[in-house]
Amino acid sequence: MLVHPQFDPIAFSLGPVAVRWYGLSYLVAFGLFLWLAAQRAAKPQYATRGWQRRDVEDMLFFGVLGVIIGGRLGYCFFYKPGYYLANPLEVFMVWKGGMAFHGGLLGVISAMALYARSRGRHFLEVMDVVAPCVPIGIAAVRVANFVNGELWGRQADPSLPWAMVFPQSGESFARHPSQLYQALLEGLLLFVLLQFYARRERAMGQVASAFVFGYGCLRFVAEYFREPDSFLGLLALGMSMGQWLCLPMIVLGAVLWVWCGRRAPLAKAGAGVKS
C-alpha cells in the first residue's frame, strides 16, 4: 500500500505571509480560465459578436466573487445549515475552511447573470464562453485537496496498486485517492470532452448545458469512491450529499440541452445581444 506523503500545506512563506497550496490552486484555476476564455472569445462565432479580451477579464472578476461567496455559502447551508444558523458570524470565518463546489457553481451562475445583464448580452451566450474553461481549474483544486490530504476516499482493497493510507484520517487502512479520481473525471476528462464538443458551432446554451450534465454525471460516479462527510454520512437511498446535489444538475443539464437544441445556432440567434 502507498502512504500519503503528508505534504506541507504551506507552499512557501513571504515573511509573515504563508502561501498555501490550496490558495495557489485557485490562482492557477483563475489564470487558466483567463487564458482559455480569451482564446474562446476570439473564435469567429464570438469575435463577430464583439467579444474581446477585456470582456473575459471582466467575467473573471465577476466569477471570482461568485466562486468565493457561493462556495462558502454553499458549504455553510448545504452541509452544516444548523450549525451556521446557530453561529452566523462563523459564515465569514473562511480561514477555518469550508467551500462547496455546488455552491460555487450557483455563485458563478448568479455572477454571470449579473455580468450578462450589465453588458446587454444573452446569459446563455456568456455561459457558453465560460463552461469549457472551468473543468481544468476544477482539476487544479482537486490536486490541491490531494496535497492537503483532505477529502480522502472510502476504504479500498489493499491489493489495488494505488490504494493509499491517509494518516490524516486517523485510520490505517487503505483508501481510494478520490481527490485524484475527481481531478481526472470532473477535471481533465470533462475538459477534454467539452473542448471536443465545443469545436463545432452549437445551439446557444448547449455547451453550457453539456457542462452541467457532464459534471453532474462524473461527480455522481466519483462520489462512490469518496468518503462521505463524517457529520452527514450517507443520506437517503445510500447516497451522499454530493450525489443528491448532482441529481438536479443531471436533470437540468439534459432538459436545457434539449430545449436549447430547438433554438437557432449562436450565429443566427441575436435576440437580447449587443455587440
Side-chain angles (χ1 to χ4, degrees), residues 63 124 139 144 165 184 186 226:
L124 291 178
V165 175
L184 292 173
E186 66 205 46
R226 176 172 162 174

Side-chain angles (χ1 to χ4, degrees), residues 142-155:
R142 293 307 181 197
V143 170
N145 291 147
F146 176 77
V147 170
N148 287 344
E150 59 193 5
L151 306 183
W152 48 76
R154 303 187 193 189
Q155 187 169 359

Side-chain angles (χ1 to χ4, degrees), residues 54-226:
R54 67 171 179 268
D55 296 309
V56 174
E57 293 170 351
D58 291 342
M59 278 199 307
L60 178 61
F61 174 76
F62 278 80
V64 169
L65 293 179
V67 167
I68 295 174
I69 297 174
R72 180 58 177 170
L73 292 179
Y75 176 79
C76 294
F77 297 112
F78 288 160
Y79 290 87
K80 291 185 174 182
Y83 178 82
Y84 285 103
L85 286 174
N87 302 276
L89 293 180
E90 291 199 26
V91 171
F92 305 98
M93 299 179 183
V94 294
W95 56 88
K96 289 189 175 183
M99 296 283 282
F101 171 83
H102 294 91
L105 177 62
L106 292 175
V108 169
I109 290 173
S110 301
M112 292 302 101
L114 290 174
Y115 170 82
R117 183 171 183 174
S118 69
R119 299 300 189 274
R121 294 192 178 277
H122 198 293
F123 169 69
L124 291 178
E125 179 186 356
V126 172
M127 294 306 295
D128 278 344
V129 175
V130 171
C133 310
V134 172
I136 200 68
I138 295 174
V141 175
R142 293 307 181 197
V143 170
N145 291 147
F146 176 77
V147 170
N148 287 344
E150 59 193 5
L151 306 183
W152 48 76
R154 303 187 193 189
Q155 187 169 359
D157 186 336
S159 65
L160 188 69
W162 53 86
M164 182 173 292
V165 175
F166 286 85
Q168 301 92 329
S169 69
E171 303 287 350
S172 59
F173 54 77
R175 295 176 179 271
H176 291 281
S178 57
Q179 314 95 325
L180 300 183
Y181 294 179
Q182 290 188 258
L184 292 173
L185 288 175
E186 66 205 46
L188 186 58
L189 177 59
L190 184 57
F191 173 75
V192 171
L193 291 175
L194 285 178
Q195 292 300 314
F196 179 78
Y197 180 72
R199 287 174 62 185
R200 290 177 53 191
E201 185 176 340
R202 304 291 178 178
M204 185 186 295
Q206 281 198 315
V207 173
S209 56
F211 166 80
V212 175
F213 177 80
Y215 181 88
C217 290
L218 294 171
R219 172 69 182 268
F220 189 91
V221 172
E223 284 283 329
Y224 279 114
F225 301 95
R226 176 172 162 174

Side-chain angles (χ1 to χ4, degrees), residues 228-258:
D229 295 287
S230 58
F231 52 86
L232 286 177
L234 294 175
L235 307 179
L237 302 179
M239 296 196 304
S240 67
M241 175 61 82
Q243 288 175 313
W244 278 108
L245 293 174
C246 283
L247 289 180
M249 291 185 68
I250 295 170
V251 174
L252 176 62
V255 171
L256 184 61
W257 187 87
V258 173

